[in-house]
Amino acid sequence: MTNNFLTTIKSLKLIEGCKAAQLYALSSLGPASTSGSGDAGGSGRPQPPPPPKTISLRSGSLYYPHAAPSTSGAFTPEHHLPCGLPVADALEPTLDACLRPVDHIGALAASFRRVSAATAGGDDDLCDAYLEQHALFQSIGDARLLRRSLRAARVHADDPHRRVVLAAWLRYERRENELDPAPPPLAPCTATTPLLECPRAAVFASVSSGVEPVCPCRRPPPTPATPPPQRLRRNTSGAVSEMSEEEEPETNDLWFIIGEEEVACERSCIAALSKPLNTLLYGGFAEAQRDRIDFSRDGITARGMGAVAAYSRHGQVDDFPPDIISQLLAFANKFCCDGLKAACDNKLASMVRGVDDAHSLIEVGLEEASHLLVASCLQAFLRELPKSLTNPDIARLLCSPEGRECLDIAGNASFALYYFLSYVAMEQDLKSNTTVMLLERLNECAELPWQKQLALHQLGCVMLARGEFEDAQEWFEAAVAEGHVYSLAGEARAKYKRGHKYAAYKLMNSVVGDYEEPAGWMYQERSLYCVGKEKQSDLQSATELDPTMTFPYKYRACALLEEDNAASAIAEISKVIGFKMATDCLELRAWFYLALEEYELAVQDVRAILTLDPSYMMFHGRMHGEQLIELLRGQVQQWDMADCWMQLYDRWSAVDDIGSLAVVQQMLSREPGNSSLRFRQSLLLLRLNCQKAAMRSLRYARNSSVHEHERLVYEGWILYDSGHRDEALAKAEQSISLQRSFEAFFLKAYALGDSSLDTESSLSVVQLLEHANSCASDNLRKGQAYNNMGSIFVDCDMLDEAAECYGIALNIKHTRAHQGLARVHYLKNRKQAAFDEMTKLVQIATNSASAYEKRSEYGERDAAKNDLNTATLLDPTRTYPYRYRAAVLMDENKEEEAIAELSGAIAFKPDLQLLHLRAAFFDSMGDTASTMRDCEAALCLDPTNGDTLELYSKASARAEPAS
């Protein structure tokens, strides 16, 4: 079998493919790596197509060159993997293509102060201030913070252009939540469309408000804002005066000759359209004495001039077709008829209902510099991203310098526009010419320091990825000149690629030496230009300062494998996989397993990778994961569906989330249209904090449903996860009315329980869960229902009933119920029993940081410290252990140590609770400046946090007398 397998791999010429490092894409999912995709179309049960590859601004891509076959040592690659093993010294991390301040907390605090100052002063720069926050939040990687900053920027956008851009961006980020079929880009809003994404509210100022309760799409169109022009008359002395409403309109006294046709008009009405026309008809020109004026050479047809005459009398353009309105617009520009131009601009903008309309009208808008019309056309293009960038005409308009100039003349070129466009382009293809051109336009629009830093740094990152190292160095140097210190890492990387290794080392060494408290990335970057113990020392320092960076783990793992220490290599890479589901780390571990001929474990990791990114390619993009699984079919045990269900049950009970994910993926490969399995996949992904991938699976579940009641349940979950609780409840009730099912009752109970309920309401939720368990389902889901019932009983202080529910859940192997039962023991003053109960969970879920963290609540101080230290080792991103240890140190009057404990975590994870606690510590120490700084940074993350606002107010009051 093994020989057949190796022969098959050799036939793919992987050795030749692996001789050169190839860049491949990873995608980001909060802390995980995945990307969304579109949904399958067609009839029957749709198959989920592979999503387009994306490149995260925080993860990016990595090089995995391979070693040549070795002739010594225990591991001989040619015996196990013909393409060899990764070479540690050839690994290279990707630069983050985002702003990365050295003092991130100071930057967040400064951003909060700018927003506060702009709010207090009614400043028009609030939109830009929130866009700056969005740029700062990119390096944090919290999707909620990013969306909140975009929403705030949209609320404070004071012109149609930026409203259009930001509304389209919000819709783009929410594309995974759309139910299929996705609505047309400018379709009227549905009941669940956020108001800030409404296309009409974005374009038309009269209906745009961030606080309006009703979407404009559900109201009649607004009346035109432009009043009809004033009617004028000229008396016998030659003076111009307004005509009263009681007076009868004058008869036609002026004719415009166009070709062989005459258009009858009223002189006073035409003159009222603009000052130039008034001067022409009543001034010292010859036309003032004529009743017939030749307009044959003025670029307007007789029909167009007739429309001008009609508008001059009635002030309306609603009844004219687009071609006539276009002529009116040209006439208005030529003779400075502001009211007519505004009316035409509004009318044409309202006619843009899709991309086809935008294509036909954009040229008119650009030629006549029509702000609203161009904004409306631009909106249609932006809401079709990334597809619209593949259209040559649209790409030429959006990417070229000439296109930007035309948009600028029409008032529709801005930093916000190119920030959005370049963001999308970088996700699609970091190295494309489109990305380069959009970033160049971004740089041209940059005015503020942070905007210049971002544009220049991203240009450097793109050029580095394209292999244009000299250009990359120049862009990075320009970013450094603007004050972006992190771009020094890019400058060093470019120098190294150009053969100047010592110059690169010297540069990064100076960066490390310039700061009293260097950041983790500084040591990581310097390690690239070191060797031996110095390199390992830098990587260790990088991990200590920022344990969330994956490169040090990967390097150490590969180095251990080169030393024939495979078990340690796998343990090293597993450390990061334990808290960060990164596809490149999973691939590396699968590679190690293949080298050791641990094919079952290798396939498990490959299946997990395919769940996160169905289009993922192994071995430098040479082999799709499914193809590798097929090649390994003869090396692993084959399970039928019954075996898979047993495996899933065992792994779910063992709290083996990756193993469960792999089993579900295997089951879906057999039954890709099984909506129930897709739903379970989404639940596992949510547990692993893979939000986007979870939403993708949930959408596939909805699209694969063959029964209406199932589809309604999955639609309800999509709505619930999108923040539409009431709509989700309605879907659950509608599903129950069609057929009683476990999932429908569970959804209804979950949605109702997600609020502060009194005892009676809580017990009604329990009743719904009992109804759920009375319906057909498996023990995996019923165990979850009993666990939820236990939690509700605990909240109602019904501890015996809670213990009974948890006991039933445990009897059907819902292992996480140990945690609930431990809580019951604790509330019954049986602390040791609670500790013992959590020990059972710890023994099963041996690598669960949350289990150790929870057990610490029931242990004595020393035991609690040990558990929390273990939790931090397993998952350094959990904040409770740091806060606990810091509080203990403060109780022991070790103030500096307490601050250092919190500062170590804040350095790589700016967190509201960590910052608030450190601010409180500084406040107790009398350090008002540090208190205010941490409060400001915390409020930048959450401006509504009551405790932080109160502490900030007190610190500010103390600071005022001192100043």
Side-chain angles (χ1 to χ4, degrees):
M1 282 187 184
T2 303
N3 291 335
N4 292 337
F5 163 64
L6 295 181
T7 300
T8 307
I9 284 191
K10 287 176 180 177
S11 70
L12 294 171
K13 300 183 179 179
L14 286 180
I15 295 177
E16 288 79 358
C18 294
K19 287 180 180 177
Q22 180 174 339
L23 202 64
Y24 62 95
L26 304 173
S27 58
S28 175
L29 196 71
S33 306
T34 162
S35 165
S37 71
D39 289 320
S43 58
R45 294 183 177 181
Q47 307 297 320
K53 292 184 180 179
T54 64
I55 295 186
S56 161
L57 296 183
R58 300 195 68 232
S59 58
S61 31
L62 291 169
Y63 289 104
Y64 275 168
H66 287 77
S70 173
T71 58
S72 61
F75 293 98
T76 52
E78 65 272 19
H79 291 168
H80 307 284
L81 198 62
C83 58
L85 297 171
V87 178
D89 287 334
L91 296 175
E92 181 179 320
T94 295
L95 289 168
D96 292 339
C98 58
L99 291 182
R100 190 164 188 152
V102 174
D103 180 10
H104 209 107
I105 302 307
L108 292 174
S111 176
F112 172 79
R113 291 194 296 272
R114 279 191 287 275
V115 169
S116 300
T119 303
D123 200 327
D124 294 336
D125 291 337
L126 260 174
C127 180
D128 285 335
Y130 281 114
L131 280 178
E132 180 185 8
Q133 282 192 0
H134 181 270
L136 290 172
F137 292 157
Q138 286 283 359
S139 62
I140 298 176
D142 189 323
R144 292 169 299 178
L145 292 177
L146 291 168
R147 184 163 182 83
R148 196 203 73 210
S149 58
L150 280 181
R151 286 174 56 84
R154 165 64 183 88
V155 167
H156 294 285
D158 56 2
D159 62 283
H161 166 68
R162 288 196 293 184
R163 288 197 298 267
V164 159
V165 171
L166 294 167
W169 198 338
L170 285 168
R171 186 177 186 268
Y172 177 81
E173 294 291 1
R174 198 179 57 83
R175 64 196 184 280
E176 291 291 343
N177 300 352
E178 292 282 1
L179 298 176
D180 275 356
L186 299 182
C189 297
T190 64
T192 58
T193 302
L195 175 61
L196 294 179
E197 298 176 24
C198 173
R200 283 189 60 204
V203 175
F204 300 104
S206 59
V207 298
S208 177
S209 171
V211 296
E212 284 190 17
V214 180
C215 176
C217 292
R218 302 190 192 95
R219 298 200 308 267
T223 56
T226 305
Q230 295 178 341
R231 301 288 301 279
L232 301 181
R233 68 177 177 185
R234 184 171 295 276
N235 58 27
T236 55
S237 64
V240 177
S241 62
E242 294 185 20
M243 181 183 293
S244 67
E245 295 180 2
E246 290 80 9
E247 295 183 72
E248 291 294 326
E250 297 179 9
T251 57
N252 297 330
D253 57 0
L254 178 66
W255 288 263
F256 287 97
I257 301 172
I258 300 174
E260 297 180 356
E261 298 184 53
E262 293 185 352
V263 180
C265 301
E266 191 169 342
R267 182 181 294 266
S268 61
C269 294
I270 297 295
L273 292 176
S274 70
K275 288 183 178 181
L277 286 172
N278 184 64
T279 302
L280 176 71
L281 298 176
Y282 287 112
F285 294 94
E287 284 80 0
Q289 309 302 321
R290 298 174 182 170
D291 58 3
R292 282 173 169 75
I293 301 175
D294 189 359
F295 258 32
S296 299
R297 300 177 182 177
D298 284 275
I300 189 167
T301 66
R303 288 182 63 206
M305 197 63 214
V308 172
Y311 174 82
S312 70
R313 291 186 173 96
H314 308 296
Q316 299 290 331
V317 298
D318 292 340
D319 297 332
F320 303 134
D323 61 323
I324 296 300
I325 299 177
S326 298
Q327 291 187 48
L328 291 179
L329 186 58
F331 180 90
N333 268 334
K334 186 170 186 176
F335 292 99
C336 304
C337 305
D338 294 338
L340 176 58
K341 178 174 181 178
C344 294
D345 199 6
N346 272 276
K347 182 60 179 177
L348 287 173
S350 67
M351 291 180 173
V352 180
R353 296 182 176 89
V355 175
D356 291 339
D357 294 332
H359 271 295
S360 63
L361 291 172
I362 186 66
E363 289 298 330
V364 174
L366 292 173
E367 288 176 7
E368 305 301 336
S370 298
H371 181 58
L372 285 185
L373 175 56
V374 174
S376 192
C377 295
L378 190 61
Q379 179 169 238
F381 301 150
L382 295 179
R383 288 177 176 243
E384 283 282 289
L385 288 173
K387 179 182 176 182
S388 54
L389 286 177
T390 62
N391 182 295
D393 295 332
I394 299 176
R396 190 179 304 112
L397 172 66
L398 297 178
C399 300
S400 68
E402 296 79 14
R404 187 193 73 82
E405 185 176 347
C406 290
L407 290 172
D408 193 25
I409 293 172
N412 279 275
S414 67
F415 182 86
L417 170 64
Y418 291 104
Y419 184 21
F420 176 34
L421 288 170
S422 60
Y423 174 87
V424 174
M426 291 176 74
E427 276 197 334
Q428 296 304 307
D429 186 355
L430 188 69
K431 299 186 288 183
S432 70
N433 291 334
T434 298
T435 301
V436 174
M437 295 175 71
L438 287 171
L439 286 174
E440 289 173 344
R441 305 292 82 75
L442 181 72
N443 186 41
E444 292 167 0
C445 292
E447 297 178 353
L448 300 174
W450 73 267
Q451 295 174 348
K452 295 177 182 178
Q453 292 174 16
L454 179 64
L456 294 167
H457 178 73
Q458 289 187 334
L459 275 165
C461 291
V462 169
M463 292 302 178
L464 190 68
R466 288 163 61 97
E468 300 175 25
F469 304 126
E470 186 174 355
D471 289 341
Q473 182 176 333
E474 291 177 0
W475 289 118
F476 284 129
E477 288 172 347
V480 172
E482 291 293 337
H484 193 231
V485 176
Y486 180 64
S487 293
L488 286 168
E491 182 183 343
R493 201 79 70 88
K495 287 182 176 180
Y496 178 76
K497 295 292 186 181
R498 297 178 65 196
H500 308 305
K501 182 174 181 179
Y502 179 70
Y505 171 81
K506 186 177 179 181
L507 180 59
M508 288 313 304
N509 191 50
S510 67
V511 173
V512 173
D514 286 344
Y515 292 91
E516 294 182 4
E517 297 179 356
W521 64 263
M522 297 178 183
Y523 285 104
Q524 175 177 279
E525 291 300 316
R526 189 175 70 175
S527 73
L528 300 177
Y529 318 117
C530 304
V531 294
K533 292 183 179 179
E534 186 180 357
K535 188 183 191 79
Q536 291 285 3
S537 176
D538 274 357
L539 289 173
Q540 187 59 39
S541 297
T543 298
E544 291 171 358
L545 292 170
D546 185 354
T548 65
M549 294 189 301
T550 61
F551 170 73
Y553 298 94
K554 291 187 289 188
Y555 180 89
R556 287 191 292 264
C558 290
L560 287 167
L561 194 68
E562 290 173 358
E563 297 170 1
D564 297 345
N565 195 343
S568 297
I570 291 172
E572 182 67 24
I573 197 63
S574 296
K575 290 178 184 177
V576 67
I577 293 173
F579 65 87
K580 192 170 187 177
M581 283 285 288
T583 50
D584 56 337
C585 294
L586 284 166
E587 181 190 6
L588 191 58
R589 190 170 70 175
W591 225 326
F592 293 166
Y593 284 136
L594 284 174
L596 295 174
E597 296 184 324
E598 294 283 355
Y599 299 123
E600 297 280 358
L601 294 173
V603 167
Q604 175 176 290
D605 280 351
V606 174
R607 290 193 182 279
I609 291 169
L610 292 174
T611 303
L612 295 172
D613 183 358
S615 65
Y616 197 88
M617 302 293 288
M618 309 283 290
F619 304 119
H620 306 294
R622 296 284 301 196
M623 182 189 294
H624 190 274
E626 290 286 4
Q627 186 179 0
L628 178 59
I629 291 172
E630 183 63 27
L631 291 176
L632 292 170
R633 175 180 293 274
Q635 312 299 317
V636 298
Q637 185 177 355
Q638 299 301 307
W639 299 327
D640 58 22
M641 288 300 287
D643 294 330
C644 287
W645 276 110
M646 292 299 297
Q647 289 291 329
L648 179 60
Y649 188 71
D650 291 342
R651 298 183 189 207
W652 192 289
S653 301
V655 199
D656 178 8
D657 292 333
I658 293 180
S660 300
L661 209 59
V663 174
V664 171
Q665 199 276 342
Q666 180 175 354
M667 297 168 79
L668 283 169
S669 66
R670 293 173 177 267
E671 298 182 6
N674 190 318
S675 59
S676 175
L677 288 174
R678 284 287 176 194
F679 179 61
R680 292 172 192 279
Q681 187 181 65
S682 73
L683 296 177
L684 281 165
L685 288 166
L686 280 176
R687 184 179 292 172
L688 291 165
N689 199 27
C690 302
Q691 181 68 38
K692 285 190 176 181
M695 187 61 73
R696 184 181 66 233
S697 294
L698 193 53
R699 291 175 65 205
Y700 288 157
R702 183 260 188 193
N703 297 339
S704 301
S705 299
V706 294
H707 301 294
E708 178 69 9
H709 71 277
E710 287 182 351
R711 184 179 61 81
L712 289 168
V713 169
Y714 302 139
E715 287 181 0
W717 279 114
I718 292 173
L719 291 167
Y720 179 83
D721 290 340
S722 304
H724 301 286
R725 176 178 168 273
D726 293 339
E727 290 82 358
L729 274 172
K731 291 286 186 181
E733 290 167 354
Q734 189 178 351
S735 177
I736 292 171
S737 68
L738 294 176
Q739 180 172 325
R740 292 165 58 92
S741 68
F742 175 93
E743 296 299 350
F745 280 115
F746 191 91
L747 170 60
K748 184 175 181 180
Y750 199 91
L752 285 174
D754 188 22
S755 60
S756 299
L757 302 175
D758 55 27
T759 300
E760 184 177 353
S761 300
S762 296
L763 293 179
S764 68
V765 174
V766 170
Q767 189 175 22
L768 287 171
L769 290 172
E770 289 174 341
H771 288 325
N773 276 336
S774 68
C775 300
S777 187
D778 56 76
N779 285 342
L780 296 177
R781 297 298 286 146
K782 290 191 174 186
Q784 184 65 61
Y786 279 116
N787 192 70
N788 289 11
M789 289 165 62
S791 299
I792 296 170
F793 281 131
V794 168
D795 293 339
C796 296
D797 201 27
M798 301 172 67
L799 301 182
D800 291 337
E801 290 82 353
E804 182 180 356
C805 288
Y806 287 130
I808 295 173
L810 288 171
N811 286 337
I812 54 179
K813 293 190 176 182
H814 187 79
T815 310
R816 287 178 170 84
H818 283 297
Q819 183 171 317
L821 190 55
R823 181 69 176 165
V824 171
H825 287 313
Y826 181 77
L827 293 174
K828 288 184 174 183
N829 295 319
R830 299 201 294 260
K831 189 174 180 179
Q832 185 58 47
F835 184 86
D836 294 340
E837 193 68 39
M838 281 305 302
T839 300
K840 296 177 183 177
L841 178 57
V842 167
Q843 290 171 344
I844 297 172
T846 54
N847 293 318
S848 172
S850 62
Y852 282 100
E853 183 178 298
K854 195 66 181 177
R855 188 174 71 170
S856 72
E857 297 180 20
Y858 311 127
E860 300 301 327
R861 174 168 287 194
D862 290 341
K865 284 184 178 180
N866 290 334
D867 277 349
L868 291 176
N869 289 339
T870 302
T872 298
L873 287 174
L874 293 172
D875 184 356
T877 65
R878 301 183 72 87
T879 62
Y880 173 72
Y882 301 100
R883 290 184 281 122
Y884 178 90
R885 289 190 292 264
V888 170
L889 290 168
M890 283 297 285
D891 288 343
E892 297 172 352
N893 295 319
K894 298 178 180 178
E895 297 174 341
E896 296 298 329
E897 291 88 338
I899 295 293
E901 178 70 28
L902 294 175
S903 298
I906 290 171
F908 65 87
K909 186 179 176 64
D911 174 80
L912 172 67
Q913 292 179 313
L914 292 173
L915 286 165
H916 177 81
L917 185 58
R918 191 171 72 170
F921 287 176
F922 279 130
D923 186 59
S924 68
M925 297 163 62
D927 189 344
T928 303
S930 297
T931 301
M932 292 182 64
R933 179 203 61 203
D934 281 357
C935 284
E936 289 163 350
L939 291 172
C940 185
L941 300 176
D942 182 3
T944 63
N945 186 268
D947 293 338
T948 306
L949 284 168
E950 182 180 356
L951 179 58
Y952 184 56
S953 178
K954 292 178 180 178
S956 300
R958 285 197 305 271
E960 287 177 2
S963 59

